[in-house]
């Protein structure tokens, strides 16, 4: 085996070792913080800690997926700390191996790791998140209030005063449901009546139905110009029901995008989330470059604690920059594509500038 292959394998193994260690540390912290929240939730229901453990393990992968950019940055810092502590940077230079060569190797590994995250790990985490939300819903009062969007429009199951309302709307425009059918049944699933209307104002929980046609069980039919209808839903609650996109895999996101578009429902959140997922490999590589530039400039002159604190501060700053642009995109201030990719382009330019004289370090 040539020296080239030997040093590449060594660097890859060292980097992956640090990545596994930092991932394990963050997973432990995530577990501790999440289980405390679950214990508090199930304590109110007088259920034992088994439930808390089960739901914590279901939720952990989704949380880890969100913080992997920060894990990558700190792993990079630990990787270079090891090289400096063993004076291996100098040894590599003596064999003609530049700092940029080291960065290229770990960046390539990280890019493929990012592809694995979105194609493999995210699929697992989204499925577990879906089960987490579904199972936990059975322990809340919201279990009897359900909503879904598919190719047949918006469907809502809404129970009010022992009457179950099955609501189907063709589309949503602003705060209005369009072309709506409401079937009412009792708790024993006996038909009560059906309400058909052109639109419903769902701004509040007291819906305002316009131009309603009511079909009674005895076959009678009546026309009502305006009708007040009590519901557990309003526009805000419906929006929140579909806001947790982390429980959907890539195929489901694409399906939901098509369904939302056909319904007239806003697709901005889904577009933003899909672009965010696709940007993950590039985002991770940028974090590698930033971490490398940071460590190669500070070297061993600073303590490990100092370097890690700086890394965390940079991670938090990048998070809020991305968050700000994401909000701008979902609020239609800027296009969704720009809201996700523009911050990455800026970070790429900044980190590339830091690489210009990195071989002299």
């Amino acid at each position: 085996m040539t020296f080239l292959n030997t040093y590449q394998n060594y660097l890859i193994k060292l980097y992956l070792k640090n990545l596994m260690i930092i991932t394990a540390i963050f997973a432990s912290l995530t577990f501790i913080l999440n289980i405390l929240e679950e214990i508090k939730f199930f304590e109110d229901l007088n259920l034992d800690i088994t439930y808390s453990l089960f739901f914590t393990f279901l939720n952990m992968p989704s949380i880890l997926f969100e913080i992997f950019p920060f894990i990558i940055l700190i792993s990079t810092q630990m990787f270079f700390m090891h090289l400096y502590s063993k004076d291996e940077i100098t040894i590599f230079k003596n064999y003609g191996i530049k700092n940029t060569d080291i960065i290229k190797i770990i960046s390539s590994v990280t890019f493929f790791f990012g592809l694995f995250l979105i194609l493999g790990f995210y699929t697992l985490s989204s499925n577990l998140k879906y089960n987490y939300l579904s199972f936990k819903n059975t322990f809340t009062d919201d279990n009897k209030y359900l909503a879904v969007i598919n190719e047949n429009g918006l469907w809502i199951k809404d129970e009010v005063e022992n009457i179950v309302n099955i609501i189907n709307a063709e589309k949503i425009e602003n705060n209005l449901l369009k072309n709506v059918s409401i079937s009412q049944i009792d708790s024993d699933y006996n038909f009560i009546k059906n309400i058909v209307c052109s639109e419903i104002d769902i701004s509040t929980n007291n819906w305002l139905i316009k131009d309603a046609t009511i079909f009674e069980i005895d076959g009678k039919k009546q026309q009502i110009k305006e009708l007040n209808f009590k519901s557990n839903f309003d526009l805000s609650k419906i929006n929140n029901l579909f806001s947790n996109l982390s429980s959907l895999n890539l195929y489901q996101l694409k399906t939901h995008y098509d369904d939302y578009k056909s319904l007239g429902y806003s697709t901005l959140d889904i577009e933003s989330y899909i672009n965010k997922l696709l940007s993950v490999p590039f985002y991770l590589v940028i974090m590698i470059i930033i971490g490398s530039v940071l460590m190669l400039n500070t070297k061993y002159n600073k303590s490990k604690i100092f370097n890690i604190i700086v890394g965390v501060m940079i991670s938090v700053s990048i998070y809020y920059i991305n968050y700000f642009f994401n909000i701008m995109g979902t609020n239609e201030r800027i296009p969704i594509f720009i809201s996700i990719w523009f911050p990455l382009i800026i970070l790429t330019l900044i980190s590339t500038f830091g690489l210009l004289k990195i071989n002299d370090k």
Side-chain angles (χ1 to χ4, degrees), residues 83-215:
L83 293 183
Y84 275 122
S85 67
K86 303 292 184 180
D87 204 25
E88 291 172 337
I89 291 288
T90 302
I91 296 174
F92 287 136
K93 283 184 178 181
N94 292 334
Y95 279 93
I97 300 168
K98 301 176 182 178
N99 292 334
T100 50
D101 295 328
I102 298 174
I103 296 173
K104 285 178 184 177
I105 292 171
I106 60 176
S107 294
S108 299
V109 172
T110 301
F111 183 82
F112 286 106
F113 178 69
L115 292 178
F116 162 74
L117 284 182
I118 59 176
L119 297 177
F121 185 83
Y122 176 73
T123 300
L124 171 65
S125 70
S126 62
N127 289 335
L128 293 177
K129 185 73 170 185
Y130 177 83
N131 289 325
Y132 170 81
L133 296 172
S134 298
F135 293 157
K136 201 166 186 178
N137 189 44
T138 62
F139 294 96
T140 67
D141 292 335
D142 288 341
N143 185 42
K144 57 185 179 181
Y145 314 133
L146 305 175
V148 66
I149 289 177
N150 57 30
E151 64 275 9
N152 296 316
L154 171 67
W155 290 87
I156 297 174
K157 174 194 172 188
D158 186 12
E159 185 176 331
V160 180
E161 298 175 354
N162 295 322
I163 295 177
V164 179
N165 300 297
I166 308 298
I167 304 160
N168 175 226
E170 183 179 300
K171 63 193 305 186
I172 297 176
E173 288 183 3
N174 299 320
N175 60 323
L176 300 175
L177 295 182
K178 294 286 189 176
N179 300 324
V180 187
S181 172
I182 303 175
S183 297
Q184 292 189 324
I185 56 178
D186 60 25
S187 56
D188 295 322
Y189 299 98
N190 297 310
F191 177 79
I192 299 175
K193 62 184 175 183
N194 190 52
I195 303 172
V196 178
C197 61
S198 58
E199 65 179 37
I200 302 178
D201 187 333
I202 58 171
S203 300
T204 67
N205 294 99
N206 292 312
W207 292 6
L208 180 60
I209 301 178
K210 298 180 180 180
D211 300 320
T213 302
I214 301 177
F215 298 90

Side-chain angles (χ1 to χ4, degrees), residues 279-295:
S279 71
V280 165
F282 305 97
Y283 189 6
L284 298 186
V285 170
I286 291 171
M287 300 301 275
I288 282 284
I289 297 173
I290 291 174
S292 300
V293 170
L294 174 64
M295 294 307 299

Side-chain angles (χ1 to χ4, degrees), residues 5 26 49 67 95 106 109 111 123 175 180 193 200 206 210 219 225 232-233 239 260 265 273 281 287 299 304 325 332:
N5 290 332
F26 271 85
I49 196 172
I67 61 177
Y95 279 93
I106 60 176
V109 172
F111 183 82
T123 300
N175 60 323
V180 187
K193 62 184 175 183
I200 302 178
N206 292 312
K210 298 180 180 180
K225 192 67 176 176
N232 292 293
F233 291 88
N239 287 337
Y260 281 31
Y265 198 77
Y273 197 75
M287 300 301 275
K299 297 185 179 180
K304 291 183 178 181
F325 275 92
E332 301 184 77

Side-chain angles (χ1 to χ4, degrees), residues 245-258:
L245 300 175
S246 61
S247 63
L248 305 175
N249 59 41
L250 287 170
Y251 175 76
Q252 291 169 328
L253 286 169
K254 178 61 170 62
T255 301
H256 273 62
Y257 174 82
D258 294 336

